[in-house]
Amino acid sequence: MGLPGEPPGRPIEFDTVLKSALARGFHVLVCDEAQWMSRECFEYWRYLWDDPSTDIAVVFAGGDGCAKVLRREPMLASRIYIWQHAVPLTLPEVLKAIPAFHPLWAGVDRDLTALVDKQAAHGNFRAWARITKLAADGLAAQGRTSVDEHLLRQVYGRLGVGT
């Protein structure tokens, strides 16, 4: 959020700084792994959302059981506008999204991209992000610029994925 200076040491001071920043314009706050949040954490999210001076949207993302955990908090659940279940990308979606996601994939043959999805990513965007990071690191370390099967075997080895 680009807040200047050191964070305040006391919770009440931090709360004031945070709410002031959230009041300056619209913000989207993302809470990943929401299924692990405590009741007190959910109450704080609700408190920020309910404050008339803040202009925020909160996105709760999580794995198995996340919706169940969120629904256990009725004061929070009643404020959730959309419940969205994420499903893996289809192959046509992968072939469109992944080259747009990162320039590393822009010039890669569609058949090789499809093979990576079949062997390691399975339509999972988080898996694609991990593969992309490892591939980019591998290319940089080797002074190379393009993805090929040799590099992908190295990436798969780091992921513990067989080919």
Side-chain angles (χ1 to χ4, degrees):
M1 293 179 58
L3 300 177
E6 293 293 318
R10 295 183 356 188
I12 191 74
E13 294 166 348
F14 179 79
D15 186 65
T16 301
V17 169
L18 180 59
K19 287 197 308 186
S20 175
L22 293 175
R24 285 190 210 116
F26 179 71
H27 290 83
V28 176
L29 306 178
V30 179
C31 173
D32 197 10
E33 301 296 343
Q35 72 274 12
W36 303 114
M37 303 279 304
S38 68
R39 170 169 277 151
E40 291 79 15
C41 290
F42 286 129
E43 278 298 310
Y44 192 71
W45 286 105
R46 186 178 67 83
Y47 166 77
L48 291 174
W49 190 84
D50 281 346
D51 190 286
S53 68
T54 63
D55 187 13
I56 64 173
V58 181
V59 176
F60 293 105
D64 289 339
C66 184
K68 182 179 178 182
V69 168
L70 291 171
R71 284 189 170 98
R72 276 196 304 232
E73 304 298 332
M75 295 301 286
L76 176 68
S78 68
R79 289 163 172 79
I80 294 178
Y81 183 66
I82 296 172
W83 294 87
Q84 181 68 46
H85 178 76
V87 296
L89 298 170
T90 64
L91 182 56
E93 291 170 331
V94 165
L95 294 174
K96 183 176 179 181
I98 297 307
F101 160 62
H102 196 281
L104 180 99
W105 302 106
V108 174
D109 182 78
R110 291 171 58 88
D111 290 340
L112 186 55
T113 303
L115 186 63
V116 173
D117 193 60
K118 179 180 180 182
Q119 292 176 332
H122 314 290
N124 182 296
F125 199 80
R126 186 176 284 184
W128 271 106
R130 187 173 42 236
I131 291 164
T132 300
K133 173 67 171 134
L134 290 171
D137 289 350
L139 288 173
Q142 298 168 25
R144 299 175 48 218
T145 58
S146 61
V147 174
D148 60 19
E149 290 185 38
H150 175 73
L151 175 71
L152 291 172
R153 280 192 292 278
Q154 293 172 345
V155 168
Y156 292 172
R158 305 255 339 253
L159 292 172
V161 173
T163 54

